Coordinates of all heavy atoms in Angstrom, one line a residue:
M1 N 8.0 30.4 43.2 CA 6.8 30.6 44.0 C 6.9 29.7 45.3 O 6.6 30.2 46.4 CB 5.6 30.3 43.2 CG 4.3 30.2 43.9 SD 3.5 31.7 44.2 CE 3.2 32.3 42.6
S2 N 7.2 28.4 45.1 CA 7.2 27.5 46.3 C 8.3 27.9 47.3 O 8.1 27.7 48.5 CB 7.3 26.1 45.9 OG 8.5 25.8 45.3
A3 N 9.4 28.5 46.8 CA 10.4 28.9 47.7 C 9.9 30.1 48.6 O 10.2 30.1 49.8 CB 11.7 29.4 46.9
D4 N 9.1 31.0 48.0 CA 8.5 32.1 48.8 C 7.6 31.5 49.8 O 7.5 32.0 51.0 CB 7.8 33.1 47.9 CG 8.8 33.9 47.0 OD1 10.0 34.0 47.3 OD2 8.3 34.4 46.0
I5 N 6.8 30.6 49.4 CA 5.8 30.0 50.3 C 6.5 29.2 51.4 O 6.1 29.4 52.6 CB 4.8 29.0 49.5 CG1 3.9 29.9 48.5 CG2 4.0 28.2 50.4 CD1 3.1 29.1 47.6
E6 N 7.5 28.5 51.1 CA 8.2 27.7 52.1 C 8.8 28.7 53.1 O 8.7 28.5 54.3 CB 9.3 26.9 51.4 CG 10.0 26.0 52.4 CD 11.0 25.1 51.7 OE1 10.7 24.6 50.5 OE2 12.1 24.8 52.3
A7 N 9.5 29.7 52.6 CA 10.1 30.7 53.5 C 9.1 31.4 54.4 O 9.3 31.5 55.6 CB 10.9 31.7 52.7
T8 N 7.9 31.7 53.9 CA 6.9 32.3 54.6 C 6.3 31.4 55.7 O 6.1 31.8 56.8 CB 5.7 32.8 53.7 OG1 6.3 33.7 52.8 CG2 4.6 33.5 54.5
I9 N 6.1 30.1 55.4 CA 5.7 29.1 56.3 C 6.6 29.1 57.5 O 6.2 29.2 58.7 CB 5.6 27.7 55.7 CG1 4.4 27.6 54.7 CG2 5.4 26.6 56.8 CD1 4.4 26.3 53.9
F10 N 7.9 29.0 57.3 CA 8.8 28.8 58.4 C 9.0 30.1 59.1 O 9.2 30.1 60.4 CB 10.2 28.2 57.9 CG 10.0 26.8 57.5 CD1 10.2 26.4 56.2 CD2 9.7 25.8 58.5 CE1 10.0 25.0 55.9 CE2 9.5 24.5 58.1 CZ 9.7 24.1 56.8
D11 N 8.9 31.3 58.5 CA 9.0 32.6 59.1 C 7.8 32.7 60.1 O 8.0 33.1 61.3 CB 9.0 33.7 58.2 CG 10.3 33.9 57.4 OD1 11.3 33.3 57.8 OD2 10.3 34.6 56.4
L12 N 6.6 32.4 59.6 CA 5.4 32.5 60.5 C 5.4 31.5 61.6 O 5.0 31.9 62.8 CB 4.1 32.3 59.6 CG 3.8 33.4 58.6 CD1 2.6 33.0 57.7 CD2 3.4 34.7 59.4
L13 N 5.9 30.3 61.4 CA 6.0 29.3 62.5 C 7.0 29.7 63.5 O 6.8 29.5 64.7 CB 6.3 28.0 61.9 CG 5.1 27.3 61.2 CD1 5.5 26.0 60.5 CD2 4.0 27.0 62.2
T14 N 8.1 30.3 63.1 CA 9.1 30.8 64.0 C 8.5 32.0 64.9 O 8.7 32.0 66.1 CB 10.4 31.3 63.3 OG1 10.9 30.2 62.5 CG2 11.4 31.8 64.2
Q15 N 7.8 32.9 64.3 CA 7.2 34.0 65.0 C 6.1 33.5 65.9 O 5.9 34.0 67.0 CB 6.5 35.0 64.0 CG 7.5 35.7 63.2 CD 6.8 36.5 62.1 OE1 5.6 36.8 62.2 NE2 7.6 36.9 61.0
A16 N 5.4 32.4 65.5 CA 4.3 31.9 66.4 C 4.8 31.3 67.7 O 4.1 31.3 68.7 CB 3.5 30.9 65.6
G17 N 6.0 30.6 67.6 CA 6.5 30.0 68.8 C 6.4 28.5 68.8 O 5.6 28.0 68.0
P18 N 7.1 27.9 69.7 CA 7.0 26.4 69.8 C 5.6 25.9 70.1 O 4.9 26.4 70.9 CB 7.9 26.1 71.0 CG 8.8 27.3 71.2 CD 7.9 28.5 70.7
G19 N 5.3 24.8 69.3 CA 4.0 24.2 69.5 C 2.8 24.9 68.9 O 1.7 24.3 68.9
K20 N 3.0 26.0 68.3 CA 1.9 26.8 67.7 C 1.8 26.5 66.2 O 2.7 26.0 65.6 CB 2.1 28.3 67.9 CG 2.2 28.8 69.3 CD 0.9 28.6 70.0 CE 1.0 29.1 71.4 NZ -0.2 28.9 72.2
S21 N 0.6 26.7 65.7 CA 0.4 26.4 64.3 C -0.1 27.7 63.5 O -0.4 28.7 64.2 CB -0.7 25.3 64.1 OG -1.9 25.8 64.7
V22 N 0.0 27.6 62.2 CA -0.5 28.7 61.4 C -1.4 28.1 60.3 O -1.4 26.9 60.0 CB 0.7 29.5 60.7 CG1 1.6 30.1 61.7 CG2 1.5 28.6 59.7
S23 N -2.3 29.0 59.8 CA -3.3 28.5 58.8 C -2.7 28.7 57.4 O -1.8 29.6 57.2 CB -4.6 29.3 58.9 OG -4.4 30.6 58.5
P24 N -3.2 28.0 56.4 CA -2.8 28.2 55.1 C -3.1 29.7 54.6 O -2.3 30.2 53.8 CB -3.6 27.2 54.3 CG -4.0 26.2 55.2 CD -4.1 26.9 56.6
E25 N -4.2 30.2 55.1 CA -4.5 31.6 54.7 C -3.5 32.6 55.2 O -3.1 33.5 54.5 CB -5.9 32.0 55.3 CG -6.3 33.4 55.0 CD -7.6 33.8 55.6 OE1 -8.5 32.9 55.8 OE2 -7.8 35.0 55.8
Q26 N -3.0 32.4 56.4 CA -1.9 33.3 56.9 C -0.7 33.2 56.0 O -0.1 34.2 55.8 CB -1.5 32.8 58.4 CG -2.5 33.2 59.4 CD -2.1 32.6 60.8 OE1 -2.3 31.4 61.0 NE2 -1.5 33.4 61.6
V27 N -0.4 32.0 55.6 CA 0.8 31.8 54.7 C 0.6 32.6 53.4 O 1.4 33.3 52.9 CB 1.1 30.3 54.5 CG1 2.2 30.2 53.5 CG2 1.4 29.7 55.8
A28 N -0.6 32.3 52.8 CA -0.9 32.9 51.5 C -0.9 34.4 51.6 O -0.4 35.1 50.7 CB -2.2 32.4 51.0
R29 N -1.5 35.0 52.7 CA -1.5 36.4 52.9 C -0.1 37.0 53.1 O 0.2 38.1 52.7 CB -2.4 36.8 54.0 CG -3.9 36.7 53.7 CD -4.7 37.1 55.0 NE -6.1 36.9 54.8 CZ -6.9 37.9 54.3 NH1 -6.5 39.1 54.0 NH2 -8.2 37.6 54.2
G30 N 0.7 36.2 53.7 CA 2.1 36.6 53.9 C 2.9 36.7 52.6 O 3.8 37.5 52.5
V31 N 2.6 35.9 51.6 CA 3.2 35.9 50.3 C 2.7 37.0 49.5 O 3.4 37.7 48.8 CB 3.1 34.5 49.6 CG1 3.7 34.6 48.2 CG2 3.8 33.4 50.5
D32 N 1.3 37.1 49.4 CA 0.7 38.1 48.5 C -0.6 38.6 49.2 O -1.7 37.9 49.1 CB 0.4 37.4 47.2 CG -0.2 38.4 46.2 OD1 -0.5 39.6 46.5 OD2 -0.5 38.0 45.0
P33 N -0.5 39.7 49.9 CA -1.7 40.2 50.7 C -2.9 40.5 49.8 O -4.0 40.4 50.2 CB -1.2 41.4 51.4 CG 0.3 41.3 51.4 CD 0.7 40.5 50.2
E34 N -2.7 40.8 48.6 CA -3.8 41.2 47.7 C -4.4 40.0 46.9 O -5.6 39.8 46.8 CB -3.3 42.2 46.6 CG -2.9 43.5 47.2 CD -4.0 44.3 47.9 OE1 -5.1 44.3 47.4 OE2 -3.7 44.8 49.0
G35 N -3.5 39.1 46.4 CA -4.0 37.9 45.7 C -3.8 36.6 46.4 O -3.6 35.6 45.7
W36 N -4.0 36.6 47.7 CA -3.7 35.4 48.5 C -4.6 34.2 48.2 O -4.2 33.1 48.2 CB -3.8 35.8 50.0 CG -5.2 36.2 50.5 CD1 -5.7 37.4 50.5 CD2 -6.2 35.3 51.0 NE1 -6.9 37.4 51.0 CE2 -7.3 36.1 51.3 CE3 -6.3 34.0 51.2 CZ2 -8.5 35.6 51.8 CZ3 -7.5 33.5 51.7 CH2 -8.5 34.3 52.0
R37 N -5.8 34.5 47.8 CA -6.7 33.3 47.5 C -6.2 32.4 46.4 O -6.4 31.2 46.5 CB -8.1 33.9 47.1 CG -8.9 34.4 48.3 CD -10.3 34.9 47.9 NE -11.0 35.5 49.0 CZ -10.8 36.7 49.5 NH1 -10.0 37.6 48.8 NH2 -11.5 37.2 50.5
R38 N -5.6 33.0 45.4 CA -5.1 32.2 44.3 C -3.9 31.3 44.7 O -3.5 30.4 43.9 CB -4.8 33.0 43.1 CG -3.7 34.0 43.2 CD -3.5 34.9 42.0 NE -2.6 35.9 42.2 CZ -1.2 35.8 42.3 NH1 -0.7 34.7 42.1 NH2 -0.5 36.9 42.6
L39 N -3.3 31.6 45.8 CA -2.1 30.9 46.3 C -2.5 29.7 47.2 O -1.6 28.9 47.5 CB -1.2 31.9 47.1 CG -0.6 33.0 46.3 CD1 0.3 33.8 47.2 CD2 0.2 32.4 45.1
L40 N -3.7 29.6 47.6 CA -4.0 28.5 48.6 C -3.7 27.1 48.1 O -3.2 26.3 48.8 CB -5.5 28.6 49.0 CG -5.8 29.8 49.9 CD1 -7.3 29.9 50.1 CD2 -5.1 29.7 51.2
G41 N -3.9 26.9 46.8 CA -3.5 25.6 46.2 C -2.0 25.3 46.3 O -1.5 24.2 46.5
H42 N -1.3 26.4 46.0 CA 0.2 26.3 46.1 C 0.7 26.1 47.5 O 1.6 25.4 47.7 CB 0.8 27.6 45.5 CG 0.5 27.8 44.0 ND1 1.1 27.1 43.0 CD2 -0.3 28.7 43.4 CE1 0.6 27.5 41.9 NE2 -0.2 28.5 42.1
V43 N 0.0 26.8 48.4 CA 0.4 26.6 49.9 C 0.1 25.1 50.2 O 1.0 24.5 50.9 CB -0.4 27.5 50.8 CG1 -0.2 27.2 52.2 CG2 0.0 29.0 50.5
R44 N -1.0 24.6 49.8 CA -1.3 23.2 50.1 C -0.2 22.2 49.5 O 0.3 21.3 50.2 CB -2.7 22.8 49.6 CG -3.1 21.4 50.0 CD -4.5 21.1 49.4 NE -4.9 19.7 49.7 CZ -5.7 19.4 50.7 NH1 -6.2 20.3 51.5 NH2 -6.0 18.1 50.9
A45 N 0.1 22.4 48.3 CA 1.1 21.6 47.6 C 2.4 21.6 48.3 O 3.1 20.6 48.5 CB 1.2 21.9 46.1
T46 N 2.9 22.9 48.6 CA 4.1 23.0 49.3 C 4.1 22.4 50.7 O 5.1 21.8 51.1 CB 4.5 24.6 49.4 OG1 4.5 25.1 48.1 CG2 5.8 24.8 50.1
S47 N 3.0 22.6 51.4 CA 2.9 22.0 52.7 C 3.0 20.5 52.7 O 3.6 19.8 53.5 CB 1.6 22.4 53.3 OG 1.5 23.8 53.5
V48 N 2.3 19.9 51.7 CA 2.3 18.4 51.5 C 3.8 17.9 51.3 O 4.2 17.0 51.9 CB 1.4 17.9 50.4 CG1 1.6 16.5 50.1 CG2 -0.1 18.1 50.9
G49 N 4.5 18.6 50.4 CA 5.9 18.3 50.1 C 6.8 18.4 51.4 O 7.6 17.5 51.6
L50 N 6.6 19.4 52.1 CA 7.4 19.6 53.4 C 7.0 18.5 54.4 O 7.9 18.0 55.1 CB 7.1 21.0 53.9 CG 7.7 22.2 53.1 CD1 7.2 23.5 53.6 CD2 9.3 22.1 53.1
A51 N 5.7 18.2 54.5 CA 5.3 17.1 55.4 C 5.9 15.8 55.0 O 6.3 15.0 55.9 CB 3.8 17.1 55.5
R52 N 5.9 15.5 53.7 CA 6.5 14.3 53.2 C 8.0 14.2 53.6 O 8.5 13.1 53.9 CB 6.4 14.1 51.7 CG 5.1 13.8 51.2 CD 5.1 13.8 49.7 NE 3.7 13.6 49.2 CZ 3.3 14.0 48.0 NH1 4.1 14.7 47.2 NH2 2.1 13.8 47.6
Q53 N 8.7 15.3 53.7 CA 10.1 15.4 54.1 C 10.3 15.4 55.6 O 11.4 15.3 56.0 CB 10.7 16.7 53.5 CG 10.8 16.8 52.0 CD 11.2 18.1 51.6 OE1 11.8 18.9 52.3 NE2 10.9 18.5 50.3
G54 N 9.2 15.5 56.3 CA 9.3 15.5 57.8 C 9.7 16.8 58.4 O 10.0 16.9 59.5
R55 N 9.6 17.9 57.5 CA 10.0 19.2 58.0 C 8.8 20.0 58.5 O 8.9 21.1 59.1 CB 10.6 20.0 56.8 CG 11.9 19.3 56.4 CD 12.5 20.0 55.1 NE 12.7 21.4 55.4 CZ 12.8 22.4 54.5 NH1 12.7 22.0 53.2 NH2 13.0 23.6 54.8
L56 N 7.6 19.5 58.3 CA 6.3 20.2 58.7 C 5.3 19.1 59.1 O 5.3 18.0 58.6 CB 5.9 21.0 57.5 CG 4.7 21.9 57.6 CD1 5.1 23.1 58.4 CD2 4.2 22.4 56.3
V57 N 4.4 19.5 59.9 CA 3.2 18.6 60.3 C 2.0 19.3 59.9 O 1.7 20.5 60.2 CB 3.2 18.3 61.8 CG1 2.0 17.5 62.2 CG2 4.5 17.6 62.2
I58 N 1.1 18.6 59.1 CA -0.2 19.1 58.8 C -1.2 18.6 59.8 O -1.2 17.4 60.1 CB -0.6 18.6 57.4 CG1 0.4 19.2 56.3 CG2 -2.0 19.0 57.1 CD1 0.2 18.6 54.9
T59 N -2.0 19.4 60.4 CA -2.9 19.0 61.4 C -4.3 19.3 61.0 O -4.6 20.2 60.3 CB -2.6 19.7 62.8 OG1 -2.8 21.1 62.7 CG2 -1.2 19.4 63.3
R60 N -5.2 18.4 61.5 CA -6.7 18.6 61.4 C -7.2 18.3 62.8 O -6.9 17.3 63.4 CB -7.3 17.6 60.4 CG -6.9 17.9 59.0 CD -7.9 17.6 58.0 NE -9.2 17.1 58.2 CZ -10.3 17.8 58.3 NH1 -10.3 19.1 58.2 NH2 -11.5 17.2 58.5
H61 N -8.0 19.3 63.3 CA -8.6 19.2 64.6 C -7.5 19.0 65.7 O -7.7 18.2 66.7 CB -9.6 18.0 64.7 CG -10.7 18.2 63.7 ND1 -11.7 19.1 63.8 CD2 -11.0 17.5 62.6 CE1 -12.5 19.0 62.7 NE2 -12.1 18.0 62.0
G62 N -6.3 19.6 65.5 CA -5.2 19.6 66.4 C -4.4 18.3 66.4 O -3.5 18.1 67.2
K63 N -4.7 17.4 65.5 CA -4.0 16.1 65.5 C -3.3 16.0 64.1 O -3.8 16.4 63.1 CB -4.9 14.9 65.7 CG -5.6 15.0 67.0 CD -6.5 13.8 67.2 CE -7.1 13.9 68.6 NZ -8.3 13.2 68.8
P64 N -2.1 15.3 64.1 CA -1.4 15.1 62.8 C -2.3 14.4 61.8 O -3.0 13.5 62.1 CB -0.2 14.3 63.2 CG 0.0 14.6 64.6 CD -1.4 14.8 65.2
A65 N -2.2 14.9 60.6 CA -3.0 14.3 59.5 C -2.0 13.7 58.5 O -0.9 14.1 58.3 CB -3.8 15.4 58.8
D66 N -2.5 12.7 57.8 CA -1.7 12.0 56.7 C -1.6 13.0 55.6 O -2.6 13.4 55.0 CB -2.4 10.7 56.3 CG -1.6 10.0 55.2 OD1 -0.6 10.5 54.7 OD2 -2.1 8.9 54.8
P67 N -0.3 13.4 55.2 CA -0.2 14.4 54.1 C -0.7 13.9 52.8 O -1.0 14.6 51.8 CB 1.3 14.7 54.1 CG 2.0 13.6 54.8 CD 1.0 13.1 55.8
E68 N -0.8 12.5 52.6 CA -1.3 11.9 51.4 C -2.8 11.9 51.3 O -3.3 11.7 50.2 CB -0.7 10.5 51.2 CG 0.8 10.4 51.3 CD 1.5 11.2 50.3 OE1 1.0 11.3 49.1 OE2 2.6 11.7 50.6
D69 N -3.5 12.0 52.4 CA -4.9 11.8 52.4 C -5.6 12.6 53.5 O -6.0 12.1 54.5 CB -5.2 10.3 52.6 CG -6.7 10.0 52.5 OD1 -7.4 10.6 51.7 OD2 -7.1 9.1 53.3
F70 N -5.7 13.9 53.3 CA -6.5 14.8 54.2 C -7.4 15.7 53.4 O -7.1 16.1 52.3 CB -5.6 15.5 55.2 CG -4.8 16.6 54.5 CD1 -5.2 18.0 54.6 CD2 -3.6 16.4 53.9 CE1 -4.5 19.0 54.0 CE2 -2.9 17.4 53.3 CZ -3.3 18.7 53.3
K71 N -8.5 16.1 54.0 CA -9.5 17.0 53.4 C -9.9 18.0 54.4 O -9.8 17.9 55.6 CB -10.7 16.2 52.9 CG -10.4 15.1 51.9 CD -11.7 14.4 51.5 CE -11.3 13.3 50.5 NZ -12.5 12.5 50.2
G72 N -10.4 19.1 53.8 CA -10.9 20.2 54.7 C -9.9 21.1 55.3 O -8.8 21.3 54.8
V73 N -10.4 21.7 56.4 CA -9.6 22.7 57.0 C -8.4 22.1 57.7 O -8.5 21.1 58.4 CB -10.4 23.5 58.1 CG1 -9.6 24.5 58.9 CG2 -11.6 24.1 57.4
Y74 N -7.2 22.7 57.5 CA -6.0 22.2 58.1 C -5.1 23.3 58.6 O -5.3 24.5 58.3 CB -5.2 21.3 57.1 CG -4.7 22.0 55.9 CD1 -3.3 22.4 55.9 CD2 -5.5 22.3 54.8 CE1 -2.8 23.1 54.8 CE2 -5.0 23.0 53.7 CZ -3.7 23.4 53.7 OH -3.2 24.1 52.6
R75 N -4.1 23.0 59.4 CA -3.2 23.9 59.9 C -1.8 23.3 59.8 O -1.6 22.1 59.6 CB -3.5 24.3 61.4 CG -4.8 25.1 61.5 CD -5.1 25.6 62.9 NE -4.1 26.6 63.4 CZ -4.1 27.9 63.1 NH1 -5.0 28.4 62.3 NH2 -3.2 28.7 63.6
L76 N -0.8 24.2 60.0 CA 0.6 23.8 59.8 C 1.4 24.0 61.1 O 1.2 25.1 61.7 CB 1.2 24.6 58.6 CG 0.4 24.6 57.3 CD1 1.0 25.6 56.4 CD2 0.4 23.2 56.7
K77 N 2.3 23.1 61.4 CA 3.1 23.3 62.6 C 4.4 22.6 62.4 O 4.5 21.7 61.5 CB 2.5 23.0 63.9 CG 2.2 21.5 64.1 CD 1.5 21.2 65.4 CE 2.3 20.4 66.2 NZ 1.8 20.1 67.6
L78 N 5.4 23.0 63.2 CA 6.7 22.3 63.1 C 6.6 21.0 63.8 O 5.8 20.8 64.8 CB 7.8 23.2 63.8 CG 8.1 24.5 63.1 CD1 9.0 25.3 63.9 CD2 8.7 24.2 61.7
P79 N 7.4 20.0 63.4 CA 7.4 18.7 64.1 C 7.9 18.9 65.5 O 8.7 19.7 65.8 CB 8.3 17.8 63.3 CG 8.7 18.6 62.1 CD 8.3 20.0 62.3
D80 N 7.3 18.1 66.5 CA 7.8 18.1 67.8 C 9.1 17.4 67.9 O 9.4 16.5 67.1 CB 6.8 17.3 68.7 CG 5.4 18.0 68.8 OD1 5.4 19.3 68.8 OD2 4.4 17.3 69.0
A81 N 10.0 17.9 68.8 CA 11.3 17.2 68.9 C 11.1 15.8 69.4 O 10.3 15.5 70.3 CB 12.1 18.0 70.0
G82 N 11.7 14.9 68.7 CA 11.6 13.5 69.1 C 10.4 12.8 68.4 O 10.3 11.6 68.6
A83 N 9.6 13.5 67.7 CA 8.5 12.9 67.0 C 8.9 12.1 65.7 O 10.0 12.4 65.2 CB 7.4 13.9 66.6
S84 N 8.1 11.2 65.2 CA 8.4 10.6 64.0 C 8.4 11.6 62.9 O 7.7 12.5 62.9 CB 7.4 9.4 63.7 OG 6.2 10.0 63.4
P85 N 9.2 11.4 61.8 CA 9.3 12.3 60.7 C 8.0 12.6 60.1 O 7.7 13.7 59.6 CB 10.3 11.7 59.7 CG 11.1 10.7 60.5 CD 10.2 10.3 61.7
E86 N 7.1 11.6 60.0 CA 5.8 11.7 59.4 C 4.9 12.5 60.3 O 3.9 13.1 59.8 CB 5.2 10.4 59.0 CG 6.0 9.6 58.0 CD 7.1 8.8 58.7 OE1 7.0 8.5 59.8 OE2 8.1 8.6 58.0
G87 N 5.1 12.5 61.6 CA 4.2 13.2 62.5 C 2.9 12.5 62.7 O 2.0 12.9 63.3
A88 N 2.7 11.3 62.1 CA 1.4 10.6 62.1 C 1.3 9.6 63.3 O 0.3 9.0 63.5 CB 1.2 9.8 60.8
D89 N 2.4 9.4 64.0 CA 2.4 8.4 65.1 C 1.9 9.0 66.4 O 1.8 8.4 67.4 CB 3.8 7.8 65.3 CG 4.2 7.0 64.2 OD1 3.3 6.5 63.4 OD2 5.4 6.8 64.0
A90 N 1.6 10.3 66.5 CA 1.2 11.0 67.7 C -0.2 10.8 68.0 O -1.0 10.5 67.2 CB 1.5 12.5 67.6

């Protein structure tokens, strides 16, 4: 399941283009258009894991969020070239 979510995250981000972000809902719908709501927790967990590895940035209000401590609405984007792996220094 997480491999499908991870692949979908990176596919959507590649399609979106540099500097653009995607929502967790877009990812979940990309994996399962009918049962996407039940995947939102899995998307969050996968996103946190990727952010810990420095492969993804979780944003809130357009700014990098701490993957260990964020709440509410968030978006996903690729790290900027030259940014810190955590993405929290921006």
Side-chain angles (χ1 to χ4, degrees):
M1 171 84 58
S2 65
D4 292 338
I5 292 171
E6 184 175 326
T8 301
I9 289 170
F10 290 115
D11 286 346
L12 289 171
L13 286 171
T14 299
Q15 292 171 20
K20 301 294 183 183
S21 63
V22 298
S23 71
E25 179 182 334
Q26 287 173 282
V27 175
R29 284 181 185 268
V31 174
D32 184 357
E34 296 297 319
W36 64 271
R37 286 178 183 86
R38 65 181 170 79
L39 295 179
L40 289 172
H42 297 289
V43 171
R44 183 182 179 98
T46 301
S47 299
V48 167
L50 292 169
R52 287 178 183 151
Q53 296 171 21
R55 297 176 57 201
L56 187 72
V57 176
I58 296 170
T59 64
R60 288 211 5 97
H61 304 290
K63 297 180 180 162
D66 180 354
E68 304 299 329
D69 184 35
F70 70 97
K71 296 178 182 175
V73 177
Y74 65 100
R75 292 187 63 85
L76 309 170
K77 67 181 242 176
L78 293 173
D80 294 330
S84 68
E86 297 81 29
D89 294 336

